[in-house]
C-alpha cells in the first residue's frame, strides 16, 4: 500500500495546487479538464514516478488517450515495449449522476494500482455520490481485496476538492486536504 499511498499523495497535492478559482471565473469544463489532465500527466511522467503517460488534449504526454482520460504506463526497459503495469488511471466527469456512473464503470474494470474519479459541480450532493460509488465498488464481481480508488469531488461553493480513499476490504476514509505552501 506504500506505492499506492505515494501516488495518492502526489495526485491530491497536484490537484489541490491547481487554481480552483478558475471554476469561479466560468472557465468551461473542457478547459478545466485539460488543466487537470495536464497536471496528472506532469506528475506521472516526472520524478519520482517517471512513467509513460497517455491522455488527449494535453501537450506533454507520451501517447494520446488510451482507454481512460489519463493513464500512467510502466513499460520494461529497452525496445520491447512490454507493458509491466498500469499504476494509475483517471476519469473525470462534470455532468449528472448518469454521466458520472458511466465513467466510473470504466474504473471498475481497470486493473490499475490507483483509480481516480474526479467529479462535481453539476452534482448537488457529492456525499451521496460517494456512497453510491462505494456501493458500485462493493457490488462489482471483479472487485478484489486491496483495490484502491480515489474519489476527488469538486466543491463549487468552497472552490476546492475533497478526497475519499477506498481500499477495498480494508477501509474507506476521507482524506485531509494537502497543504500547499
Amino acid at each position: 500500500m506504500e506505492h499506492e499511498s505515494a501516488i495518492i499523495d502526489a495526485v491530491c497535492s497536484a490537484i489541490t495546487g491547481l487554481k480552483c478559482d478558475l471554476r469561479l471565473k466560468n472557465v468551461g469544463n473542457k478547459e478545466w479538464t485539460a488543466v487537470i489532465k495536464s497536471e496528472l500527466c506532469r506528475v506521472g511522467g516526472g520524478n519520482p514516478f517517471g512513467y509513460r503517460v497517455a491522455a488527449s488534449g494535453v501537450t506533454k504526454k507520451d501517447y494520446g488517450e488510451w482507454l481512460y482520460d489519463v493513464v500512467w504506463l510502466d513499460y520494461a526497459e529497452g525496445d520491447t515495449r512490454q507493458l509491466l503495469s498500469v499504476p494509475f488511471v483517471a476519469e473525470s466527469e462534470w455532468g449528472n449522476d448518469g454521466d458520472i456512473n458511466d465513467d466510473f464503470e470504466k474504473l471498475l474494470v481497470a486493473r490499475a494500482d490507483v483509480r481516480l474519479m474526479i467529479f462535481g459541480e453539476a452534482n448537488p450532493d457529492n456525499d451521496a455520490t460517494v456512497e453510491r460509488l462505494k456501493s458500485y465498488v462493493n457490488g462489482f464481481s471483479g472487485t478484489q481485496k486491496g483495490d484502491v480508488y480515489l474519489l476527488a469531488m469538486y466543491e463549487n461553493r468552497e472552490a476546492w476538492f475533497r478526497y475519499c480513499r477506498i481500499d477495498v476490504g480494508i477501509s474507506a476514509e476521507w482524506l485531509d486536504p494537502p497543504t500547499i505552501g
Side-chain angles (χ1 to χ4, degrees):
M1 291 296 178
E2 190 172 312
H3 171 69
E4 290 86 349
S5 292
I7 290 173
I8 288 173
D9 290 347
V11 165
C12 289
S13 291
I15 293 173
T16 299
L18 293 174
K19 297 287 187 186
C20 291
D21 60 340
L22 286 174
R23 292 307 280 168
L24 300 176
K25 295 178 182 175
N26 292 325
V27 171
N29 289 345
K30 185 175 182 179
E31 294 86 359
W32 180 233
T33 300
V35 168
I36 292 173
K37 287 168 47 173
S38 293
E39 188 65 6
L40 293 174
C41 287
R42 182 194 65 77
V43 170
N47 286 328
F49 301 114
Y51 297 120
R52 305 278 182 147
V53 294
S56 65
V58 301
T59 55
K60 294 190 176 186
K61 63 180 187 269
D62 298 294
Y63 310 107
E65 188 167 311
W66 192 81
L67 301 175
Y68 303 94
D69 288 348
V70 176
V71 183
W72 299 356
L73 303 160
D74 185 16
Y75 282 106
E77 299 276 335
D79 295 330
T80 64
R81 193 158 184 246
Q82 178 183 346
L83 182 62
L84 300 175
S85 70
V86 179
F88 175 84
V89 296
E91 282 291 323
S92 63
E93 181 53 59
W94 305 108
N96 62 38
D97 286 343
D99 295 333
I100 293 168
N101 293 348
D102 290 345
D103 276 5
F104 191 73
E105 286 175 348
K106 296 177 194 177
L107 297 179
L108 289 174
V109 300
R111 294 308 320 147
D113 299 336
V114 175
R115 303 157 189 85
L116 169 66
M117 182 73 209
I118 303 169
F119 62 93
E121 187 178 339
N123 185 18
D125 190 354
N126 284 336
D127 290 343
T129 301
V130 167
E131 292 307 313
R132 187 178 70 253
L133 297 180
K134 284 184 198 176
S135 73
Y136 292 169
V137 168
N138 292 327
F140 180 60
S141 67
T143 294
Q144 297 177 12
K145 184 176 181 178
D147 284 352
V148 177
Y149 292 81
L150 177 63
L151 308 178
M153 296 129 313
Y154 183 74
E155 298 288 341
N156 223 7
R157 285 169 275 156
E158 291 84 13
W160 70 313
F161 282 91
R162 288 191 313 147
Y163 305 95
C164 180
R165 175 178 176 158
I166 302 168
D167 290 284
V168 174
I170 300 168
S171 68
E173 62 185 346
W174 290 98
L175 303 177
D176 292 328
T179 55
I180 304 299

